[in-house]
Each structure stands twice: as C-alpha cells, then as structure tokens.
Amino acid sequence: MKLTDIKKLKVAELRSRLKEVGLDSRGLKAELVDRLWAALERGHSGKDEETEVKLQHDSAPTETVEVLAPSSSPPTDGGVTAPCSPDSTREYTDTGTQTETDVTTLQHGSEVVSESVREHQAEGGEVDGPGKDSRAVSSEEMGRGRAFYEFKEEIRYKRAKSPQPPVTREEEEEKDEDKVRLDPYDSHLHFEVGPDGSSGQPRFWAQFPSLWSGSRLSHGVLQGRVGFEVRLERKLLSTHLEEQEVTEPCGLRVGWSVADTSLLLGEDELSFAYDGRSKKVSGGKEEEFGEPFSEGDIIGCYASFSTDGAIQISFHKNGRLMDVAFSLGASVLRGRPLFPHVLCKSCSVRFLLDPTTSPWYPSPPGFTPLAALPAGQRVRSTLAAPSRAQCEVVLMVGLPGSGKSHWARTHMTQHPEKQYRLLGTEELLACMISGGQRDSRLRQACQCLTDLIKMAAQTRGNYILDQCSILFSARRHKLQLFTGFRRRVVVVFPSADEWKRRLLQHETSQGEQIPETALLKLQVSCSLPEQQTDLLEELQYVELPREQAQTLLQEYKDCACRLLPPIPKQEKRKPRLRRKRPHPHGPPPSHRIQWAGINGWNDPRLSMQSWSQHPRYWDVVYQDQSYNRDFVYSGYEGYW
C-alpha cells in the first residue's frame, strides 16, 4: 500500500488497520496515518525491491564529493576524518542537502531541519530521487551508522508537542512483599508484565519482532532444592510481519541468573539458560541440549544446592528430565542467590506462582516449588525507589565518538548501588541477538529507543540516556518527560586531537566509520546546553569546560559551513487570496446618508458608529499568521 493510499483512508479504516497490527488506534488522522505508515515500513523492510512500498515524494540524488582545492582538506588517519580546521576549502556537492552560505546562528542554535524533510521523515520515508524506492537502502546510506539514525529520531522532537505532566506508572504494590511475582523493576522496559504478575511478553512484538525481552522473578534462593515451571503460552506473529524472511521468528530461554547480571539470559558467566532451540547457554556459549520448544510446552527448572556449596541445574520438558545442564563449584556463586529468569522473543510466557495450586507436572523427589517455600528461605531482590524524587536521570550530550558510552559505563561501574539502567542504541542492538542486517537493526533500535524513553519516565528507577542529544528541542523534551526526577546533564566534549583519536578507536573496535559529510552536518547542528533551573538540576562538563567547548564548537561550525554547499532557496509561495469578511453590524453609513439634508439628521441609521469608531474593529489584536516568535532559521535541515 502506498502512502497516498493510506492518506485516502477514513479514520475508522485507519483505526481498524492499526488494531489489526496491534498498535494504538487513538489520535488525530495525521497521527494515525503516520503510525500506520511507520508500521508498514518496518514490516516490509526485508522484502525485495519489486514488492516494497514506494513513496511519491521527490528527493535528493546521491551524494558526490568534489575536491576543489588539493591538499587543503582536513587530515585523515586510517580513513577517519579529523575535526575540520578553519582553513579547509574542500566543498561537497550534495544538491539535495545544501545550505545557504550566509548562516544566522540563533541561541539554541543550529537546530535546523527543514519542514519538508521532517514531514517526509515523519511519514516514514527517506529522501530519495524521483521514482526510487524510499526504503531501499542506498550504498551511501549503508555506512551512516548509529549517529545518522539517532539524529533522525532527535529531529522528530522538533515537531513534538510538549509532554503532559508525568504520570507515574504505579504498580499495584502487594501488601505482602513476600509474594513471588515477575519484577517490573528487574525487567527490560520492553518486557510487559501481566496484571497478575505471573505472565509476560515482549511489549513491542509487532513493531520490533527481533527484539528479545527478559525479566527475573522478585525472589531467589540460596539453599535447598528448589524449582519453578514456565509455560510457552503462544507465539506472537503479526499478520504483516509473517511475510518477512525470518529464520527464527520466536524464541524462548528459561533458567537462573544472579541479580547483577545482564537481563539477556545466558549471555553472562553467571547466567544459565535452556534455549528453545535445544541448546544450553551460559556466558554466550551454546551447546546442544534437550529438545526444542513448541507452543504449550511446560519447562521445569530446578536448582539443587548441596551442603558444600556446589550447585546442579537441571531442566525438564513436559515432566520428562532433559538432564543436568550445569554443575557449578562452591566458589562460582560466592554466596549470591540465584533468581528465576526468562528471556523471550515474539511469544508470551506464564509462570506457575500460586502456592495453593498443584504443579502442572510433579516435581522431582525432594524439590519444592519456589512460590511454596517459607518466606525465610527466599531472598528478595532490591526494591525500587519509593518516589520519583529519589530517582535520577543522566542525559548524555556530545558528538558521535566523543566518549559518551565509555563515560556512562564507567559511571555505572563506580556507582553499583544506584543500579542504573543504560538506555542506548547499542544496548538495544545487543537485545537483537539474531536477525537482520545491522543497518535494519540500527534503524529499529533507534525507533524503539524513542518509545522506551517515554516509558522510562513513567517507571521509577535510575537511568542514563546514551544518545547524542545535540539538539536543544530533543534535550528539552526528554528532560521535561522526567519532571520530578533529579535531572543531570553530562556533556562530553573533548579537544580536537582527542576526538580524532577516539573516532579512530571507534572505527577500529566497532568496524563502523562515520562518513565525513555526516560529521560535518552534525557539527553544524550541534548546540551545547546551558544551566536552566526549570529543566535540570545539575550540568557537568567532564572534558573541556563550557567556554572552551563553545569556542571549539564554533570553529567546527565555521569550517563545516564552508565545506558544505549551500541549499538553493525555495521559491516563495504565492499569497492566498482571502475574501473580505462582512462587517459584523453591516456596512458603515455612507456620506450620502450623513449629509442628505434635514431629514438625514433624523435617520436612525446615523446612530450607528462609523467604521473607524467601531470598538470591535480596533480592539481586535492583529494576528499575522505568518509570524512565529519561535522562528528558527532552517537552512541546514535539508541535510537529514
């Protein structure tokens, strides 16, 4: 279905289509069209060009580089472009993404994305040439990487409405804290816990089918012989996603893990999983084990703690022993409890956590269900902060490759007691254990991250938002979402030489080079935050101080403005012809009536006030619809 066809649908039809794919059907027609088009685009991203959806918008031809002056370009090292110097004279020919040469820098500066491009992006499309498939990834786009897709998502905040006052997603707190349930505060934000606390499924299974979502139970064990049962309720396959070429559309892992390990069960050393592909997984290593899972299967997970501290972990399927999967020595856990853990993709699961209900299959001799253990033999996981005021959010700000992720992970290591959740593109990519090319997964991860940030603002906890956040509107919107939290902004802006070194290190470790043209566009669009008491409680520059960072950023901007070509000015639209509205009290009295003689003085129509004296005419405030006090020069928006 083409975008033009979607726009022709009625509101009722749009809502029906959205319900079919499991999306929210509330909102105005423009929002419904945008939501449906974005869902269709994601759903068809893996198809051949002949079956892909095509947009009818005109867009830019591919980028070409033209060297106008030799040996004066910024020095490169290993294919990584150094931050440009002011005397650079190389220019880039990109007719679809050109800027005006005379640029006016405003206060929140360089936050400039053209209305036409933003509207086109909001409809889910790239900017391509006439007749091209808008979702077919061009060779130039393949190397854009994380920074490009993160910036595309940040641009959307420019047009976003101010967030509503925060409404904390209050979970129904159990009067008895000893009740065993899925812990919403020890789960991925994209894992949806059921109202009864014993069931769950991936929250975005329709939009992002390759995303794995995990959760731990609220209680663990340190001793005895304990087990629990999990049932694979059903597989979740959207109608339009079933057509994708996905080798493993559904997945499930069940097992045990230590509380401070990753929620990706089986990917850490102290995380032990039985995978539905008939494998056992620990420390990211897979070995053949047991039988594959199917819909309706019941998996039993059992841990046996011996008196000398050794542990054996075994698994059952539908009451049949699969074998002992892991044997751990006394020195492995070092007295740390094991928590039941589940990790799923495009499927829903249910735990048997009612101690009064008989087990689905009889437990092995000597084993007790976890939910039936006495309270003294269970270990409660760390409770969440009782209020938003005791929660903290750290917003990272910096250009790509500046070291934001490294600082965030170091800060998490130095403050383990705060139990930060790191929300970033790389973390979501790690949750896509299998499936799709990196470019497709990057695009999905950046889109999913936007939704997760909104959810994080409604869930108590400590968060670090690991994004560029170089646009003022993006920073403001995110910080407003977290009203009530302690909001902290950390700016990582290194010197030019250090930034060059880190970019080279990023390319070597990640195997992903940020194109030179993209870096120039990001430099032009960047703005540094200022202390604003209504938006944040703390502002910290961890590299260069603000004055030096601002000076260096201005040099980057000046250099980028010279290197990037200007955008041709758009033709002015012809003014709309407006009909003259009739006067509310009829036409004013004419001179003929006023001076018609003696009889004219007694004419009752002369008691009317003249046009110039009518109070409603002069008291109406003049409103020029073409004026906007928040106007920002948008010359550079065509870059994205």
Side-chain angles (χ1 to χ4, degrees):
M1 178 179 290
K2 298 181 180 179
L3 179 61
T4 53
D5 297 332
I6 295 179
K7 290 183 177 181
K8 294 177 182 179
L9 296 177
K10 296 181 180 179
V11 174
E13 296 173 337
L14 289 170
R15 289 176 176 168
S16 176
R17 297 287 182 89
L18 288 169
K19 289 180 180 178
E20 290 178 1
V21 297
L23 296 178
D24 185 11
S25 60
R26 294 172 295 180
L28 301 176
K29 181 175 181 179
E31 298 173 351
L32 301 179
V33 170
D34 181 28
R35 198 174 302 147
L36 181 58
W37 173 248
L40 290 176
E41 183 192 27
R42 288 191 294 265
H44 292 77
S45 59
K47 287 191 173 185
D48 295 333
E49 293 185 1
E50 295 179 358
T51 59
E52 289 179 343
V53 179
K54 296 187 178 182
L55 296 179
Q56 303 297 325
H57 295 275
D58 293 337
S59 58
T62 57
E63 295 182 349
T64 58
V65 179
E66 179 181 357
V67 181
L68 300 182
S71 70
S72 62
S73 59
T76 59
D77 187 5
V80 178
T81 303
C84 58
S85 56
D87 59 349
S88 300
T89 57
R90 180 166 51 176
E91 296 185 2
Y92 293 84
T93 302
D94 185 357
T95 58
T97 59
Q98 296 181 354
T99 64
E100 296 186 8
T101 53
D102 185 13
V103 178
T104 304
T105 304
L106 299 180
Q107 177 181 2
H108 299 306
S110 309
E111 185 182 339
V112 282
V113 183
S114 68
E115 294 294 328
S116 60
V117 173
R118 280 203 310 256
E119 289 175 1
H120 186 76
Q121 289 174 340
E123 293 170 351
E126 295 284 341
V127 181
D128 299 323
K132 291 185 180 180
D133 189 338
S134 63
R135 283 193 332 276
V137 181
S138 63
S139 58
E140 290 83 359
E141 184 176 331
M142 286 297 293
R144 284 174 173 172
R146 167 184 169 182
F148 171 75
Y149 291 109
E150 281 189 359
F151 192 79
K152 278 189 65 176
E153 290 301 312
E154 284 199 12
I155 288 173
R156 300 179 188 273
Y157 289 111
K158 180 76 172 161
R159 297 171 61 89
K161 298 179 181 179
S162 297
Q164 298 297 321
V167 178
T168 305
R169 189 184 63 182
E170 298 288 351
E171 302 289 341
E172 294 183 1
E173 300 292 344
E174 301 291 341
K175 295 181 180 179
D176 184 6
E177 293 184 356
D178 292 326
K179 181 177 180 179
V180 181
R181 69 190 311 271
L182 283 166
D183 191 350
Y185 302 106
D186 197 10
S187 306
H188 282 125
L189 287 173
H190 43 86
F191 184 88
E192 183 177 9
V193 179
D196 58 354
S198 62
S199 62
Q201 66 183 34
R203 191 179 301 274
F204 304 124
W205 60 269
Q207 302 96 313
F208 311 108
S210 61
L211 191 66
W212 288 79
S213 307
S215 177
R216 274 187 278 259
L217 290 188
S218 57
H219 293 74
V221 290
L222 271 171
Q223 58 185 352
R225 308 178 75 184
V226 187
F228 65 93
E229 290 180 301
V230 181
R231 181 170 63 204
L232 175 55
E233 290 280 85
R234 63 189 184 95
K235 297 181 180 180
L236 305 173
L237 294 176
S238 177
T239 53
H240 71 278
L241 293 175
E242 288 178 343
E243 302 174 1
Q244 295 190 39
E245 296 180 2
V246 181
T247 56
E248 298 173 354
C250 300
L252 176 62
R253 289 181 181 180
V254 294
W256 303 82
S257 68
V258 175
D260 58 353
T261 58
S262 168
L263 287 170
L264 294 174
L265 179 61
E267 297 302 308
D268 282 357
E269 293 296 333
L270 300 181
S271 185
F272 312 97
Y274 177 17
D275 193 300
R277 300 169 298 156
S278 67
K279 298 178 182 295
K280 62 178 181 179
V281 188
S282 180
K285 300 178 181 178
E286 300 179 352
E287 298 180 22
E288 294 295 329
F289 177 82
E291 301 174 356
F293 301 162
S294 58
E295 200 169 76
D297 282 345
I298 295 174
I299 309 302
C301 308
Y302 301 95
S304 175
F305 295 79
S306 62
T307 54
D308 60 354
I311 305 164
Q312 282 191 341
I313 297 176
S314 59
F315 297 97
H316 287 218
K317 176 187 172 184
N318 297 330
R320 293 183 293 108
L321 175 65
M322 294 291 101
D323 203 353
V324 175
F326 304 99
S327 296
L328 312 178
S331 61
V332 175
L333 294 184
R334 298 178 183 177
R336 286 174 287 184
L338 284 177
F339 287 83
H341 194 156
V342 64
L343 180 69
C344 56
K345 177 183 74 169
S346 295
C347 66
S348 60
V349 297
R350 176 173 294 277
F351 286 77
L352 182 60
L353 301 178
D354 188 353
T356 62
T357 304
S358 58
W360 288 321
Y361 286 98
S363 301
F367 283 85
T368 305
L370 176 66
L373 280 177
Q377 298 182 19
R378 297 194 299 251
V379 181
R380 183 68 167 89
S381 62
T382 305
L383 296 173
S387 65
R388 294 172 66 90
Q390 295 177 319
C391 301
E392 180 182 75
V393 59
V394 179
L395 178 65
M396 305 301 300
V397 177
L399 290 168
S402 57
K404 301 182 297 299
S405 299
H406 176 75
W407 186 95
R409 291 188 175 92
T410 303
H411 186 71
M412 293 174 65
T413 305
Q414 294 173 350
H415 300 276
E417 72 283 357
K418 292 193 174 182
Q419 296 182 332
Y420 284 107
R421 292 191 187 187
L422 184 60
L423 301 182
T425 306
E426 293 298 330
E427 281 59 43
L428 282 175
L429 285 177
C431 293
M432 299 177 183
I433 300 176
S434 61
Q437 298 179 351
R438 177 174 173 82
D439 182 79
S440 175
R441 290 186 290 123
L442 265 175
R443 187 165 56 248
Q444 291 187 25
C446 292
Q447 293 170 350
C448 182
L449 186 57
T450 302
D451 296 332
L452 289 184
I453 291 175
K454 297 177 183 178
M455 294 198 57
Q458 302 174 4
T459 307
R460 298 192 303 272
N462 296 325
Y463 302 95
I464 297 181
L465 309 186
D466 183 17
Q467 293 179 297
C468 289
S469 299
I470 60 176
L471 298 184
F472 170 75
S473 60
R475 293 194 298 268
R476 178 184 58 192
H477 191 95
K478 295 172 190 175
L479 292 173
Q480 287 177 343
L481 283 172
F482 287 90
T483 300
F485 283 63
R486 184 178 182 274
R487 296 167 293 185
R488 179 182 176 191
V489 176
V490 175
V491 183
V492 182
F493 204 95
S495 62
D497 292 337
E498 179 63 17
W499 187 32
K500 172 186 174 182
R501 185 190 68 80
R502 293 178 184 178
L503 283 173
L504 178 60
Q505 183 179 3
H506 173 81
E507 177 191 355
T508 304
S509 60
Q510 301 293 332
E512 177 183 272
Q513 179 180 355
I514 304 175
E516 184 175 1
T517 309
L519 278 179
L520 295 177
K521 298 170 185 178
L522 288 167
Q523 291 170 17
V524 170
S525 305
C526 180
S527 67
L528 297 178
E530 301 176 358
Q531 182 66 48
Q532 293 177 279
T533 56
D534 60 328
L535 285 180
L536 54 99
E537 282 69 42
E538 182 182 350
L539 175 62
Q540 180 182 4
Y541 281 76
V542 296
E543 298 275 350
L544 295 179
R546 187 183 186 283
E547 294 74 15
Q548 296 182 21
Q550 188 63 53
T551 302
L552 183 57
L553 176 61
Q554 190 58 48
E555 293 179 4
Y556 291 165
K557 289 176 180 286
D558 295 341
C559 174
C561 288
R562 281 189 288 270
L563 292 178
L564 292 169
I567 292 180
K569 294 184 178 180
Q570 298 181 355
E571 297 181 0
K572 294 183 179 180
R573 297 181 179 179
K574 295 182 179 180
R576 293 179 60 185
L577 298 177
R578 301 181 181 274
R579 295 182 180 180
K580 294 183 178 180
R581 298 182 178 179
H583 192 267
H585 296 285
S590 63
H591 294 286
R592 180 179 301 176
I593 297 177
Q594 294 180 13
W595 302 105
I598 297 178
N599 294 334
W601 292 108
N602 297 326
D603 196 315
R605 289 176 293 179
L606 292 181
S607 62
M608 293 178 53
Q609 293 175 327
S610 64
W611 179 274
S612 61
Q613 294 175 344
H614 198 280
R616 290 190 60 187
Y617 175 77
W618 292 110
D619 291 346
V620 175
V621 179
Y622 174 69
Q623 297 179 351
D624 186 355
Q625 300 297 332
S626 64
Y627 174 76
N628 181 4
R629 65 183 181 86
D630 294 327
F631 170 76
V632 178
Y633 176 78
S634 58
Y636 285 103
E637 300 179 349
Y639 287 154
W640 303 94

